[in-house]
């Protein structure tokens, strides 16, 4: 219905402060890195998407679409109060998305 929903969340245990989502959190698919990555995946794009402050003031988000899984529109992403080095985080997210897709289709 035009919304992205968090279905799994992993939060770091080693930080004194971090940003995160709760399972079940929803936001418009047109906002935030996770939603924008899903939209990109619909168009066959596999690269990571980054946003700043779209869902939470000061939050930096980056996500990559999980593609190739029939019936699934999803992304994998990270959120931080600090800017990401996109040259490092982007390829890692794309790799993670590919691994998740492969595990879901049994490759």
């Amino acid at each position: 219905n035009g919304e992205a929903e968090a279905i799994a969340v992993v939060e770091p245990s080693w930080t004194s402060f971090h940003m995160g989502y709760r399972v079940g959190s929803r936001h418009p698919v047109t906002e935030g890195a996770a939603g924008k990555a899903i939209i990109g995946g619909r168009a066959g794009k596999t690269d990571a998407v980054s946003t700043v402050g779209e869902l939470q003031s000061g939050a930096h988000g980056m996500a990559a679409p999980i593609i190739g899984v029939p019936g699934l529109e999803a992304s994998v992403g990270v959120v931080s109060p600090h800017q990401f080095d996109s040259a490092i985080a982007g390829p890692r997210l794309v790799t993670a998305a590919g691994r998740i897709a492969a595990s879901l289709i049994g490759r």
Side-chain angles (χ1 to χ4, degrees):
N1 295 336
E3 292 184 316
E5 179 179 0
I7 60 168
V9 176
V10 177
E11 295 187 14
S13 60
W14 63 89
T15 62
S16 58
F17 177 79
H18 65 273
M19 302 176 109
Y21 284 94
R22 295 185 197 276
V23 170
S25 298
R26 293 173 178 256
H27 61 82
V29 75
T30 56
E31 298 176 11
K36 290 184 174 183
I38 290 169
I39 291 171
R42 290 175 182 168
K45 295 182 180 179
T46 60
D47 52 327
V49 175
S50 61
T51 60
V52 178
E54 289 192 8
L55 299 176
Q56 178 67 41
S57 180
H60 295 261
M62 183 172 275
I66 297 172
I67 59 172
V69 181
L72 179 70
E73 287 190 318
S75 64
V76 60
V78 292
V79 63
S80 173
H82 307 290
Q83 184 174 0
F84 296 102
D85 183 340
S86 59
I88 295 172
R92 289 181 179 177
L93 285 167
V94 170
T95 298
R99 288 181 178 170
I100 292 167
S103 70
L104 291 173
I105 58 175
R107 285 191 199 162

